[in-house]
Amino acid sequence: MATKNHNLSDYDITSVPDATGMKVGIVVSEWNDNITGALLQGAVTTLMKHGVAETDINVMTVPGSFELIFGATQMAKTEVDAVIAIGCVIRGDTPHFDYICEGTTYGIARLNQVQGKPVIYGLITTNDMQQAIDRSGGKLGNKGDECAVTAIKMIDFTRHIK
Ligand code: DLZ
């Protein structure tokens, strides 16, 4: 799983389908908003770079990462082609980190099985703030970029599956 040698913003631009006309919902957690704001910025910029209109991006916030499950569930019911769930959980002194990470991860995974629309996993789970900074526009790129590219590819997948 190491991202140490992988920059999250690096991708083959020729592998990304034209995203003109795609509609994307983004649900963003308010916890660690210095990080989630940067992830959001990366996702929006990359979506638009590939042709998604600003008016076709619907951004809603939820209080914490655990609420991404409900937020993404509701967002997926709207007129969007995919949902990006953005959050950042940083390890603390108690096992709370593990419960939030596990619950949110399983919740989002389950949504992908039952909703019929791709829900992209934009949750950063790190041991400290520096690791989160590194992955939200720092030395390891921006996971928001990766989520945007993934959303576009999964919408394209949905449109072509027979
Ligand atoms: C309670 C909590 C804690 C301790 N840490 C984080 C965190 O690092 N990142 C995050 O997104 N949310 C955190 N939360 C809030 C929970 O996600 C959730 O909002 C609350 O438990 C209420 O359901």
Side-chain angles (χ1 to χ4, degrees), residues 29-32 36 63-68 87-91 94 96-97 100 104 123:
S29 162
E30 290 169 355
W31 261 79
N32 302 310
T36 59
S65 290
F66 195 75
E67 286 71 46
L68 288 173
C88 170
V89 196
I90 298 177
R91 190 181 290 280
T94 70
H96 203 73
F97 171 88
I100 300 280
T104 307
L123 187 68

Side-chain angles (χ1 to χ4, degrees), residues 133-149:
I133 291 168
D134 292 346
R135 289 159 177 77
S136 57
K139 67 179 183 190
L140 295 174
N142 190 325
K143 190 166 179 66
D145 296 343
E146 182 200 60
C147 288
V149 169

Side-chain angles (χ1 to χ4, degrees), residues 102-144:
E102 202 171 308
T104 307
T105 300
Y106 280 126
I108 291 173
R110 185 164 180 278
L111 272 183
N112 277 282
Q113 296 172 307
V114 300
Q115 273 288 355
K117 288 181 185 177
V119 180
I120 312 303
Y121 184 73
L123 187 68
I124 283 188
T125 59
T126 62
N127 291 323
D128 55 45
M129 181 58 80
Q130 188 57 51
Q131 288 182 339
I133 291 168
D134 292 346
R135 289 159 177 77
S136 57
K139 67 179 183 190
L140 295 174
N142 190 325
K143 190 166 179 66

Side-chain angles (χ1 to χ4, degrees), residues 5 12 29 33 38 40 44 80 114 133 141 155:
N5 301 314
D12 175 7
S29 162
D33 62 353
L40 172 64
V44 169
V80 295
V114 300
I133 291 168
I155 293 169

